[in-house]
Amino acid sequence: MSADMVETRLSLEDWTHAADLDDLAIIALCEGPTIDLGCGPGRLTEALTRHGHLALGVDVTGEAVAHTLQRGVAALRRDVFGPLPGEGRWHTALLADGNVGIGGNPVALLDRVRRLLDPRGHAVVEVAPPGTAMTTGPASLHAGDLVTRTFDWTVVGVDQIESLTRQAGLVTRAIHPIGCRFVAVVEVAA
């Protein structure tokens, strides 16, 4: 890590609460079977399931998947870039909490999302507020005294999402401000 790069610290505890009203507004944008990529401790996977969706949480962190499973919902410990169940058949892919930054290459991740979706499906992608510069650097997940190894992470602002989705063969259909959060709904380009 160079001296000018600051590591992003992501806290598992930030996501262990039950889904709040803003979370519920975000999952209202999901339709049909939904894959929650980077599900963390599963608050949104749980909310999706409670609202009638077939939902699967996916995360690389064992501790996060364990939390999700404790909520009584389905989750797998997998890399989003590796093989996943239902490829090409998901109606919705959810990238909440800035998870479009997973892997430090948003275009590659959005391209992966495109390949996970049914051709008529869409992705629900939470991004940072307007005016946020796109930055890539190291990040780590913290759960109490446990700290993961660092991984690449990109912060994507609402101002960049249309360009990134276009590069990945997707089209941004809408941007929804939800409380202090911003969510893009993107579809496979025709």
Side-chain angles (χ1 to χ4, degrees):
M1 178 168 54
S2 68
D4 60 340
M5 294 184 81
V6 176
E7 181 179 324
T8 300
R9 295 173 49 102
L10 305 169
S11 173
L12 186 66
E13 284 81 17
D14 289 346
W15 303 302
T16 56
H17 58 80
D20 61 24
L21 291 176
D22 290 348
D23 292 332
L24 295 177
I26 290 170
I27 68 163
L29 299 171
C30 299
E31 298 173 0
T34 300
I35 189 164
D36 182 2
L37 301 170
C39 69
R43 80 180 192 287
L44 297 177
T45 309
E46 178 185 38
L48 284 159
T49 301
R50 288 182 188 249
H51 285 86
H53 293 270
L54 170 70
L56 175 65
V58 176
D59 205 288
V60 295
T61 308
E63 183 76 14
V65 170
H67 279 274
T68 303
L69 294 171
Q70 288 170 1
R71 292 175 185 260
V73 296
L76 294 174
R77 183 178 183 185
R78 300 265 176 94
D79 182 333
V80 299
F81 293 101
L84 292 171
E87 295 202 24
R89 297 191 310 267
W90 291 100
H91 291 202
T92 303
L94 176 60
L95 288 167
D97 303 319
N99 284 346
V100 68
I102 292 171
N105 185 338
V107 173
L109 181 58
L110 289 166
D111 178 65
R112 176 67 176 129
V113 165
R114 181 183 53 78
R115 291 180 283 120
L116 288 170
L117 290 172
D118 176 283
R120 297 158 295 174
H122 69 274
V124 175
V125 182
E126 186 175 349
V127 292
T132 303
M134 189 164 78
T135 57
T136 300
S140 60
L141 183 64
H142 296 252
D145 293 335
L146 300 173
V147 179
T148 65
R149 63 179 172 77
T150 59
F151 50 90
D152 292 330
W153 184 263
T154 298
V155 174
V156 174
V158 69
D159 303 323
Q160 297 96 33
I161 194 65
E162 286 190 52
S163 172
L164 297 171
T165 57
R166 190 172 39 256
Q167 292 174 60
L170 297 164
V171 176
T172 302
R173 293 291 181 212
I175 304 287
H176 298 274
I178 297 175
C180 296
R181 298 160 77 178
F182 290 84
V183 179
V185 175
V186 301
E187 299 174 347
V188 177

